[in-house]
Amino acid sequence: MSAKSKSPFPTREEILNYIQETPGRVGKRELGRAFKLNPAQKTRLKKELKALADEGLIERGHGRKFVEPGSLPGVTVVEVSGTDIDGEILAKPVTWEHETPPPIIYMAPLRQGQRALANGERVLARLEKLENEDDDRIAYEARTIRRIAHAPSETLGVYMEHPSGEGRVRSTNRRHKSHFLVTDDGGFDLKDGDLVLTHAVPGKRLGLPRVKVQEKISRAGPKAISLIAIYEHDIPNRFPIEAVETAEAAIAAPLGKREDLRKVPLITIDGEDARDFDDAVFAEPDAEVDGGWHLIVAIADVSWYVRPDSALDKEAYKRGNSVYFPDRVVPMLPEALSNGWCSLVQGEDRPCLAVHLWIDASGQLTRQRFTRALMHSHARTTYTQIQNARDGDGDEQTAPLVDGVINPLYGAYESLLKSRTKRGVLELDLPEKKIEISEDGSVGGVSVRDRFDSHKLIEEFMVLANVAAATTLEQMKQPCMYRIHDEPSLEKLESLREFLGTIDIPLARGQIIKPVEFNKILGKAAGTANVHLVNQVVLRSQSQAEYSPDNIGHFGLALKRYAHFTSPIRRYSDLLVHRALVRGLKAGDGGLNDDHKDYGEMGEHLCITERRASGAERDAVDRFTALYLSERVGSLFKGRISGVTHFGLFVELDETGADGLVPMRTLGDDYYEHDETLHLLRGKRHGAIYRLGDHVEVMLMEADPITGGTTFQVMGDGDGKSPRPRPASARGKGGQKSHKKSSKKSPKKAAAKSQRGASPRKPKGKSRASRRRARRNK
């Protein structure tokens, strides 16, 4: 080929695109052929590839091949690592030697009749790359080629004495279908019912997997339920000796240059079961502004006691946050601080970082002032007490506070509500489940937690203080760990739009989406049979809140800037904000160091620990709920379909808020197809439809407190009748019976949302696996 007719040398972008889009690994030979390069150009290509590798844009693989950073080969061994909120199976590569998090791997459903993959099981899988517009991480769908004989390295379970005399372990993981044979008791005096941690040992391929007991944790039973969640989610629950000694050596902070707020009637308002008190509030009319208010939000001064790079600090960062279970808490800080010097205990002086807030009659923040102070809590009250007092039913403690303390708090709250309404905050109804624990550790009841105006009052005070903290840090040019919440992705909005169209609620294309638009949708559904369904679908369309030094605002709260400031006892992110404020205010010791860790890295870590805590708390609630229901197996309950997946339905009971699975195999003699867009299962033969939000009557078939598994069988709809075929209008546009058929006509789009190590949203692939439920978390 002459110089005149030779092919142009590819740009860097073209080289990178080819490597990214080509399955497997790519070498100089493949690139040369693809771009028809001559020998001289191939020499130049070699230098270009070296430069790209040096810059970290590509990675060197085996055989002088190159791949996209963070990518995996087309066929590899993966280990099942868990499930996301929708029950979709996630996996991780067995071999991963990079510092960055591994790619997101979704396991495609196995063929009908095959045993489900268990957590910790390894398979040889063929990977197909998925588009992932919402995240920098690569996402794959993995199709199982064959299982690889492998026992999970560690198994948490309950020891059982088998009639044969052998010791066995029943796993707490509901995906482990078989028991484990104990070949070595580790020297522990084991008894039937002990909760143990075991380690896999080599053994025969046939028969039960073999394990050695490496730790005896406790007796199984109600008091072990939270321990199971702690161990399964690897929650740190033992403080280093140095951290404990430092906490126990702490003493009262001197007044010094602190502002003296001890005579201000600050009070704490928390739940009856609150274990620490990190915020106190006060309000009074603003004498200078008609209808205005002066508020004080005082937060425990954790930065005074937890200094950067100390043993306390390192352990607090490792934990990231406290973890709350129905019967206990795993604190971020040792008890001497979390329940002592850093808890705003009634009747005692405590150091605090306080913010004075001035709002006008419309609830707009006009100015703020942060100060290090010394306060004295005048009352430890509960939400119920404060609401009763406001409603004219005060008790011995709250009645004297009504005129001077409680009424002004509500006056300021009413102004803040005006600002909230004007901003158009996303208003979702998200009931919280409450587990009532008896003195003996058993479950006395499961209910939906009450929600009063007193809850909303504290929330609005805290939101205002958080906004003030972010604003002040920006003004002082200090680093800020923002709490960000992105707007829904275009793909999520399109899915929501398609669904809403089936119930005649329009969502126009091309408009700038704001929270108020979602509120209009919720308003149109209010009072209709679809209200619960629409709330669920709108919730799942939202992005996940995160921590980041890069501000994009908070979509759900309709705020341009937002940071967590109000809970440094239980959230490390808040401690970072406190330290930055102390440094910016030049308010003494405990401020942010100049050589602090990278905020981006810390934000990712805190997102991971937050998701870890949420998963552990959710699993514990599931187990306590199963324990409560275990004596009612065979009973009938009214409920509502709260989730629809390719493997069955999730049903939430009206009576308790408890939820469980209706396996696909129990839905009758039919083949059901999963419609992701319409959130329903449709029987292919008889046309019966089960849709998100539908009322159903179910029978409790199983409730296992060890695994947390609760299983139902549908007995009829909410009136006790069997599900009937729906008209074509319920089948989507054109009366299509199969979402699988219609989805083939639409392009494959991205749908994975990074949670920095948590369960991400499932990208659309070729499987019928449903998208992950997106959960908003303020």
Side-chain angles (χ1 to χ4, degrees):
M1 181 182 295
S2 66
K4 185 176 181 179
S5 61
K6 70 179 181 181
S7 299
F9 189 81
T11 64
R12 301 183 106 209
E13 289 73 20
E14 289 173 333
I15 295 173
L16 289 173
N17 286 339
Y18 183 83
I19 293 174
Q20 291 170 359
E21 295 171 2
T22 302
R25 301 178 182 272
V26 177
K28 187 176 69 172
R29 178 180 299 176
E30 289 80 9
L31 286 164
R33 289 174 179 172
F35 293 104
K36 301 178 180 178
L37 304 182
N38 62 27
Q41 289 175 317
K42 289 179 181 179
T43 301
R44 180 181 171 187
L45 174 64
K46 182 178 180 181
K47 295 179 181 179
E48 188 64 41
L49 290 173
K50 183 179 184 303
L52 290 171
D54 291 342
E55 294 175 29
L57 298 176
I58 58 176
E59 290 180 352
R60 300 176 189 274
H62 297 293
R64 298 183 180 180
K65 304 287 187 178
F66 294 90
V67 295
E68 179 184 6
S71 62
L72 293 169
V75 176
T76 191
V77 177
V78 300
E79 181 176 310
V80 177
S81 57
T83 58
D84 64 10
I85 296 173
D86 267 342
E88 305 298 344
I89 301 175
L90 302 174
K92 60 184 179 182
V94 171
T95 302
W96 185 254
E97 299 176 351
H98 306 276
E99 295 182 358
T100 56
I104 304 164
I105 303 176
Y106 297 91
M107 297 303 301
L110 299 175
R111 291 192 300 274
Q112 192 169 4
Q114 288 187 311
R115 176 174 59 84
L117 294 171
N119 196 32
E121 191 169 2
R122 293 183 178 182
V123 299
L124 181 66
R126 191 178 306 280
L127 303 184
E128 179 182 353
K129 190 175 177 183
L130 298 172
E131 295 181 11
N132 192 9
E133 296 172 353
D134 292 339
D135 186 8
D136 292 334
R137 293 165 65 192
I138 299 172
Y140 292 97
E141 181 179 69
R143 295 187 176 275
T144 301
I145 298 174
R146 62 180 175 85
R147 299 173 190 260
I148 296 175
H150 164 74
S153 57
E154 283 191 341
T155 301
L156 183 69
V158 177
Y159 181 79
M160 304 163 50
E161 295 177 352
H162 193 263
S164 65
E166 296 174 332
R168 297 189 179 182
V169 170
R170 182 189 174 205
S171 174
T172 58
N173 189 324
R174 69 189 72 173
R175 290 185 172 274
H176 291 166
K177 304 303 181 183
S178 68
H179 291 173
F180 293 81
L181 177 64
V182 176
T183 58
D184 186 341
D185 62 12
F188 297 101
D189 181 19
L190 299 177
K191 293 181 174 58
D192 199 70
D194 284 341
L195 182 65
V196 296
L197 185 66
T198 68
H199 191 83
V201 296
K204 300 176 181 178
R205 293 188 60 182
L206 300 177
L208 298 177
R210 299 167 179 246
V211 294
K212 173 184 177 180
V213 176
Q214 63 184 50
E215 185 177 355
K216 177 181 174 181
I217 299 171
S218 73
R219 293 288 296 167
K223 294 184 179 180
I225 286 179
S226 294
L227 283 175
I228 292 173
I230 289 169
Y231 274 79
E232 283 194 339
H233 291 269
D234 198 23
I235 304 293
N237 67 331
R238 292 186 178 92
F239 284 101
I241 294 177
E242 185 180 356
V244 173
E245 290 176 345
T246 302
E248 292 178 346
I251 59 175
L255 175 62
K257 296 181 179 180
R258 293 176 181 270
E259 182 177 351
D260 193 346
L261 297 177
R262 287 177 290 183
K263 292 184 179 180
V264 177
L266 287 153
I267 65 171
T268 62
I269 307 176
D270 296 276
E272 284 81 1
D273 54 354
R275 299 174 177 90
D276 46 48
F277 314 106
D278 49 12
D279 60 83
V281 292
F282 167 79
E284 63 182 354
D286 186 350
E288 299 179 1
V289 178
D290 186 28
W293 295 91
H294 168 224
L295 293 68
I296 299 177
V297 176
I299 307 299
D301 191 357
V302 177
S303 63
W304 176 260
Y305 292 103
V306 183
R307 300 299 173 88
D309 298 326
S310 65
L312 275 172
D313 180 50
K314 292 175 181 177
E315 184 64 18
Y317 176 71
K318 175 183 175 182
R319 297 179 177 223
N321 42 256
S322 297
V323 188
Y324 293 87
F325 299 107
D327 62 338
R328 72 189 70 194
V329 60
V330 179
M332 186 180 78
L333 301 174
E335 187 175 354
L337 292 181
S338 61
N339 292 346
W341 292 113
C342 293
S343 187
L344 307 182
V345 180
Q346 176 181 326
E348 297 187 20
D349 294 350
R350 288 290 185 268
C352 65
L353 188 57
V355 56
H356 294 264
L357 304 157
W358 287 268
I359 60 173
D360 60 23
S362 66
Q364 293 295 313
L365 181 63
T366 58
R367 61 190 173 103
Q368 71 271 348
R369 178 174 65 85
F370 283 86
T371 178
R372 244 179 171 171
L374 195 65
M375 65 156 285
H376 184 96
S377 174
H378 286 240
R380 182 279 199 246
T381 67
T382 68
Y383 294 112
T384 304
Q385 282 182 297
I386 295 297
Q387 192 61 52
N388 287 342
R390 174 65 172 175
D391 295 339
D393 189 22
D395 57 25
E396 182 178 343
Q397 181 185 31
T398 58
L401 301 174
V402 171
D403 292 333
V405 177
I406 296 175
N407 284 343
L409 288 173
Y410 275 88
Y413 163 63
E414 289 167 1
S415 292
L416 290 173
L417 275 185
K418 297 176 184 177
S419 174
R420 179 186 178 93
T421 302
K422 183 179 180 180
R423 293 200 318 269
V425 175
L426 181 59
E427 303 286 0
L428 284 169
D429 183 17
L430 304 174
E432 183 182 354
K433 195 182 299 182
K434 180 181 179 181
I435 307 293
E436 300 168 7
I437 304 296
S438 303
E439 291 184 3
D440 62 356
S442 62
V443 181
V446 180
S447 60
V448 176
R449 194 178 292 275
D450 292 327
R451 181 166 169 78
F452 306 122
D453 281 347
S454 53
H455 290 88
K456 301 174 185 177
L457 182 156
I458 290 298
E459 287 175 4
E460 290 306 308
F461 273 55
M462 298 304 112
V463 167
L464 186 66
N466 288 337
V467 170
T471 302
T472 300
L473 288 177
E474 288 182 1
Q475 292 171 347
M476 296 190 301
K477 302 188 184 310
Q478 292 293 323
C480 180
M481 183 63 76
Y482 294 97
R483 180 65 166 178
I484 61 172
H485 181 224
D486 204 354
E487 62 185 32
S489 66
L490 294 177
E491 192 274 336
K492 284 183 177 179
L493 287 176
E494 184 59 32
S495 177
L496 176 64
R497 185 178 292 111
E498 290 181 27
F499 163 74
L500 292 173
T502 68
I503 55 175
D504 299 322
I505 297 180
L507 178 61
R509 285 185 173 88
Q511 63 180 345
I512 298 176
I513 197 71
K514 294 182 178 180
V516 69
E517 302 300 328
F518 291 108
N519 291 339
K520 291 178 182 177
I521 293 170
L522 297 172
K524 291 177 181 178
T528 72
N530 293 319
V531 59
H532 189 83
L533 168 63
V534 172
N535 263 273
Q536 288 287 327
V537 176
V538 169
L539 170 63
R540 296 173 193 187
S541 71
Q542 302 305 306
S543 301
Q544 181 73 48
E546 299 178 348
Y547 291 110
S548 173
D550 303 317
N551 183 32
I552 61 171
H554 196 293
F555 177 80
L557 292 175
L559 292 168
K560 293 181 179 178
R561 57 188 62 83
Y562 191 66
H564 276 166
F565 157 77
T566 55
S567 297
I569 291 179
R570 60 185 179 91
R571 291 191 304 233
Y572 193 86
S573 58
D574 302 48
L575 178 55
L576 289 175
V577 170
H578 276 231
R579 287 174 176 167
L581 286 167
V582 169
R583 185 172 78 171
L585 294 168
K586 296 180 173 57
D589 297 334
L592 193 67
N593 283 349
D594 291 334
D595 58 347
H596 58 77
K597 293 180 181 177
D598 177 73
Y599 261 49
E601 177 186 334
M602 287 194 289
E604 292 184 8
H605 169 74
L606 296 177
C607 287
I608 292 171
T609 60
E610 180 184 40
R611 309 297 179 254
R612 179 180 67 184
S614 296
E617 291 166 352
R618 185 169 57 248
D619 284 357
V621 168
D622 286 346
R623 287 187 170 91
F624 277 112
T625 303
L627 177 63
Y628 177 68
L629 293 174
S630 60
E631 296 181 357
R632 303 178 68 181
V633 172
S635 299
L636 296 177
F637 298 90
K638 301 286 188 182
R640 187 188 300 270
I641 296 176
S642 59
V644 181
T645 75
H646 69 276
F647 54 83
L649 308 170
F650 287 97
V651 172
E652 181 180 304
L653 303 184
D654 296 339
E655 178 184 339
T656 62
D659 51 22
L661 175 68
V662 177
M664 185 80 80
R665 66 179 181 275
T666 68
L667 292 179
D669 185 21
D670 207 338
Y671 178 80
Y672 284 86
E673 293 180 326
H674 176 217
D675 191 319
E676 294 183 69
T677 301
L678 301 185
H679 302 276
L680 58 82
L681 293 177
R682 182 186 297 106
K684 193 170 183 179
R685 185 183 309 165
H686 303 300
I689 288 178
Y690 296 93
R691 186 173 187 171
L692 184 71
D694 279 355
H695 291 277
V696 290
E697 184 177 44
V698 295
M699 177 182 288
L700 178 62
M701 307 303 293
E702 179 187 19
D704 187 349
I706 298 298
T707 65
T710 303
T711 306
F712 300 118
Q713 182 171 338
V714 175
M715 307 305 291
D717 60 21
D719 298 321
K721 302 175 183 178
S722 298
R724 295 189 297 271
R726 303 276 180 94
S729 60
R731 298 175 182 171
K733 297 179 181 179
Q736 293 166 335
K737 294 186 179 181
S738 172
H739 175 63
K740 182 169 62 176
K741 293 179 181 178
S742 62
S743 67
K744 288 181 179 178
K745 299 178 182 179
S746 60
K748 183 186 283 187
K749 296 182 180 179
K753 174 67 179 176
S754 171
Q755 298 178 12
R756 305 296 196 273
S759 299
R761 186 165 69 87
K762 172 77 186 284
K764 270 189 177 181
K766 293 184 178 179
S767 77
R768 295 176 297 154
S770 64
R771 303 171 190 149
R772 188 191 67 83
R773 303 174 192 174
R775 291 186 179 272
R776 182 175 65 84
N777 179 4
K778 294 181 185 178

